[in-house]
Amino acid sequence: MLGTLCTLITALTCVSGVTLVTQKPVVAAMRGETVSIDCNLGIDYYAYWYKQIPGGVPQFVLYFHRGNTSPTYGTGFSSPKFTSTHQSTSDYRLTIKDIEEGDSAVYYCATWDGSVNEYVSQ
């Protein structure tokens, strides 16, 4: 029986005009395989991962910082299916185990540059 090919598309995103977040554009895998998606945040901060199925809204998967022992997960996402690790202060990896058709989506990594925060009070 032929396996199902799942395509996981990642995005290139610019955050705050200062921090450039980069990802490789496409990852393909067969059902049951493990996939890793790398992201360079450009800064030492939290990596946020989102999943977007075509025609749908982005879903929060998890966030992780190298100083934490484990990720914090969004509703419907959990370990060991989804996990995140770091390779350096700004390089993060999302790992998806036992790939299935429902995992086919666009995955975004994001962060923010706290130095540009502005606070507004009313």
Side-chain angles (χ1 to χ4, degrees):
M1 174 188 268
L2 293 175
T4 301
L5 180 66
C6 297
T7 303
L8 305 153
I9 302 172
T10 59
L12 174 66
T13 308
C14 183
V15 177
S16 80
V18 175
T19 302
L20 183 65
V21 177
T22 55
Q23 296 175 255
K24 293 183 181 178
V26 177
V27 177
M30 300 298 286
R31 181 183 291 163
E33 292 183 338
T34 295
V35 169
S36 293
I37 303 170
D38 292 325
C39 175
N40 180 282
L41 302 179
I43 60 173
D44 180 8
Y45 212 69
Y46 289 83
Y48 288 78
W49 292 94
Y50 296 87
K51 172 185 178 180
Q52 186 173 19
I53 295 170
V57 298
Q59 298 174 285
F60 168 63
V61 177
L62 61 83
Y63 73 84
F64 181 66
H65 184 265
R66 64 186 180 88
N68 298 352
T69 56
S70 63
T72 299
Y73 293 93
T75 303
F77 299 95
S78 62
S79 178
K81 173 79 173 174
F82 296 90
T83 192
S84 186
T85 56
H86 66 92
Q87 285 64 53
S88 71
T89 58
S90 61
D91 289 310
Y92 285 81
R93 175 172 290 155
L94 175 68
T95 301
I96 308 169
K97 295 182 180 176
D98 196 22
I99 289 289
E100 52 194 313
E101 288 181 53
D103 297 322
S104 184
V106 176
Y107 288 83
Y108 298 92
C109 75
T111 194
W112 71 84
D113 183 344
S115 69
V116 297
N117 282 346
E118 293 184 23
Y119 298 92
V120 177
S121 62
Q122 295 183 355

